[in-house]
Amino acid sequence: RSRGASGVVEPWVQWARPPPGFRTQTGWPEWRAAPAWPIRSALHPSGRDPRFCVSCSFVPNEILHLDLDGAWPAEISLPTRDLREWGPRLRFSAPARQIAAFEQAIGEKLPPFLVYGSGDFHHLTALWVRRQPRLTTVVSFDNHPDWDIRPPRWGCGSWVNRALEWSQVKKVSVWGCGNFECWWPGRIFGNNRAERAGRLEVHPWADERSGRDQARRGAILQNSWREKFSEFVRRLAGTPVYVTIDPDCRRAEGAGTNWENGRLGGDDV
């Protein structure tokens, strides 16, 4: 999946790191004077250390880079745990015993803001979600619904189903899906049961679909999706939220990926 960064929006936000050359758009908070980073990071479009941002509450002990595959350059200067020995065992998918061993190796305490590997490790999100102390809504921005019910159980295309197994997850809401998995016949392999029960929301782009498809539960259009999302946020009403962002949800000019790109712009995310 696309590479990216991970961060915190009350209480958690998770990204995956963008590839070299990634550039974000303007429109983010003002900064205090601070040294520029050698690269423009997905942590903040200015490319500067988020620890110096006037509007951000990040401090060094709230951020941790889990280095699974060397995807992040050393110049980001974040506290780092070298976990590259785990990368080949966890990439794309892994048996449950490997996931359990990895979780044990990680330990009990992690900061709220995580930077780790590429999107090929998105299934680790289910582990981070399981650590939430209260009933939590998971919000995912992703070009893929990651709701596949087929094996493997622990895979980057099926992690949503693992998250739904945890008692602390109230609902998972996926926004910005643009690939075939949300439509017939691809959707027959998705977790339609959870969607019908209301524990899973999938919001695929439907601008170029038929009128019938546009009436699909959760379908969104470019000219109105923000209003729908704003209403969704209003209903959350201050309850705990875990946000995970796979940069492949963004358009090609905003994020490189080894998967197909989505339709969200920098200002959207």
Side-chain angles (χ1 to χ4, degrees):
R1 307 295 289 272
S2 54
R3 297 175 176 179
S6 281
V8 125
V9 171
E10 179 54 27
W12 290 59
V13 172
Q14 178 196 316
W15 283 21
R17 172 197 172 271
F22 177 91
R23 293 294 184 273
T24 53
Q25 299 183 13
T26 59
W28 286 61
E30 294 296 323
W31 291 86
R32 296 191 183 102
W37 283 12
I39 62 169
R40 285 188 180 272
S41 168
L43 298 177
H44 230 293
S46 72
R48 293 179 177 174
D49 190 326
R51 293 171 288 184
F52 295 93
C53 177
V54 171
S55 302
C56 293
S57 60
F58 302 138
V59 295
N61 62 1
E62 292 180 335
I63 305 173
L64 180 63
H65 170 211
L66 303 178
D67 186 3
L68 291 161
D69 58 357
W72 280 81
E75 290 87 348
I76 62 171
S77 301
L78 293 177
T80 299
R81 286 186 62 178
D82 187 348
L83 298 170
R84 285 174 292 179
E85 64 175 320
W86 286 96
R89 289 182 270 175
L90 300 174
R91 186 181 296 277
F92 297 118
S93 65
R97 66 180 183 277
Q98 288 283 17
I99 295 293
F102 173 73
E103 186 173 28
Q104 184 175 12
I106 284 291
E108 294 184 1
K109 292 185 178 180
L110 285 175
F113 190 97
L114 296 177
V115 176
Y116 68 95
S118 66
D120 296 341
F121 301 94
H122 205 176
H123 44 300
L124 300 182
T125 297
L127 293 181
W128 319 143
V129 169
R130 185 160 58 181
R131 294 167 179 252
Q132 301 307 300
R134 294 180 292 168
L135 192 63
T136 299
T137 298
V138 178
V139 181
S140 176
F141 291 91
D142 200 325
N143 195 42
H144 307 82
D146 290 348
W147 66 337
D148 201 312
I149 59 175
R150 296 171 294 179
R153 281 178 53 79
W154 284 92
C156 60
S158 59
W159 70 265
V160 163
N161 301 321
R162 304 292 74 74
L164 288 170
E165 293 174 355
W166 314 144
S167 60
Q168 53 269 66
V169 173
K170 179 179 181 180
K171 174 186 291 188
V172 177
S173 185
V174 187
W175 292 77
C177 301
N179 82 326
F180 67 92
E181 296 174 65
C182 298
W183 308 103
W184 181 264
R187 65 168 298 156
I188 64 176
F189 298 115
N191 195 341
N192 295 282
R193 177 179 296 180
E195 187 179 28
R196 288 193 298 268
R199 292 202 65 217
L200 172 60
E201 297 177 353
V202 178
H203 298 277
W205 298 113
D207 295 85
E208 299 165 3
R209 310 290 303 191
S210 67
R212 180 177 179 179
D213 283 348
Q214 290 184 4
R216 178 209 192 280
R217 182 202 308 244
I220 54 176
L221 304 174
Q222 287 282 346
N223 63 2
S224 61
W225 85 270
R226 286 194 178 198
E227 288 76 11
K228 286 191 174 183
F229 185 75
S230 295
E231 174 61 22
F232 164 73
V233 171
R234 187 192 65 79
R235 293 196 304 270
L236 293 176
T239 58
V241 173
Y242 184 104
V243 179
T244 176
I245 303 174
D246 188 328
D248 70 14
C249 70
R250 295 190 58 189
R251 294 192 289 266
E253 62 269 23
T257 172
N258 58 333
W259 296 72
E260 66 272 25
N261 284 89
R263 303 184 186 184
L264 290 172
D267 291 341
D268 295 328
V269 178

